[in-house]
Amino acid sequence: MKFFCSTVIVALFAMISAAQSKPTTAADYDGTFNYAVSETNAAFPFIFTVVVDEFAKGKKISSDTEVNERQSEGVERTTRTIIKGGKNTASYQVSVGFGKVYCSGDGKKWRGPQQYECWGPSRLYGRREREKAGYSVEERTIGGEKIKIYREYVIYKANAGSSKKEFEETVATIDSKGFFISIVTNEGTLNPKVVSLVRKQVWDFKTSLKPVVAPKT
């Protein structure tokens, strides 16, 4: 799965750098993005992989990978792996319906069912005020299929106590049906431009899933 994600992302970045894009509107970007969110995440079953890498002084300091095997709405198997400070830790979650969540630290011993997710979001954001945003779209044909690559680039004003503005760049690749192929987001500070976080999201509709069942507790 990690090899699949890396291959797709490298290929998409190569396409982005080689092709020409044209400006578009926030309304076009938001409409297309929101449609892709609702349609892609309702097209079960699929595997959804999210990799979040954090950086400090140009070096990667942590990597958080979640592989979500989504069988149907509310029914999924998730493996989360965190690499930080030379340590590799894994957590596991199985959901067999809303409010029926099982958690494990080793994939063998389980607790639950419980109502809530086993872990919270990997990163929380405070309030950020936008200074400006730009949008572009690019059309390409890959293997006979037309795809679109949407880009949003946002600059945020410096927060209180900080002299540096922040940026967030999102590149979403969407297939001819309006489904996401991937989303890559870079975040960081400006003057000079320094990347502090890279988030990669990939959807896989081809790999078969094993049935998701409630583990024994």
Side-chain angles (χ1 to χ4, degrees):
M1 176 56 63
K2 290 184 179 179
F3 176 78
F4 167 80
C5 294
S6 299
T7 303
V8 170
I9 290 163
V10 169
L12 291 175
F13 267 115
M15 290 189 297
I16 292 167
S17 62
Q20 297 294 321
S21 61
K22 59 182 179 180
T24 190
T25 64
D28 176 39
Y29 177 89
D30 291 339
T32 303
F33 199 95
N34 291 336
Y35 177 84
V37 169
S38 62
E39 294 300 307
T40 307
N41 290 329
F44 301 101
F46 61 90
I47 298 175
F48 175 53
T49 301
V50 183
V51 181
V52 180
D53 294 329
E54 293 194 62
F55 299 84
K57 298 181 180 179
K59 294 183 178 181
K60 186 192 296 187
I61 58 173
S62 69
S63 184
D64 187 341
T65 301
E66 281 192 26
V67 180
N68 305 276
E69 301 174 73
R70 297 186 173 175
Q71 180 174 302
S72 59
E73 189 173 8
V75 179
E76 64 181 58
R77 180 189 301 109
T78 304
T79 301
R80 183 182 187 184
T81 305
I82 299 176
I83 302 173
K84 186 174 183 178
K87 296 182 178 180
N88 189 325
T89 58
S91 304
Y92 305 86
Q93 174 176 297
V94 172
S95 301
V96 292
F98 296 106
K100 297 180 180 179
V101 180
Y102 297 82
C103 306
S104 175
D106 59 9
K108 298 177 181 179
K109 296 180 180 179
W110 295 86
R111 65 181 186 275
Q114 63 187 44
Q115 184 177 359
Y116 303 104
E117 300 289 308
C118 300
W119 52 79
S122 59
R123 186 178 178 91
L124 298 175
Y125 293 89
R127 184 177 179 180
R128 297 191 293 180
E129 185 178 356
R130 285 191 174 196
E131 182 174 286
K132 60 181 179 180
Y135 305 89
S136 66
V137 60
E138 163 195 331
E139 296 184 9
R140 291 185 65 89
T141 301
I142 304 296
E145 180 183 11
K146 291 184 178 180
I147 66 169
K148 289 185 177 181
I149 301 171
Y150 275 85
R151 178 177 180 269
E152 177 189 47
Y153 189 84
V154 181
I155 295 177
Y156 296 95
K157 293 182 179 180
N159 293 321
S162 174
S163 60
K164 292 188 176 182
K165 299 179 182 180
E166 297 180 353
F167 76 91
E168 184 175 71
E169 180 181 35
T170 301
V171 179
T173 303
I174 300 172
D175 69 15
S176 58
K177 295 180 294 183
F179 287 17
F180 283 125
I181 297 173
S182 73
I183 302 175
V184 180
T185 303
N186 295 314
E187 300 180 20
T189 54
L190 296 170
N191 300 322
K193 187 175 182 179
V194 177
V195 175
S196 60
L197 181 142
V198 177
R199 181 184 295 105
K200 306 169 185 176
Q201 304 175 67
V202 177
W203 287 257
D204 174 11
F205 292 94
K206 296 181 179 180
T207 303
S208 299
L209 276 64
K210 294 181 179 179
V212 177
V213 298
K216 295 182 179 180
T217 59

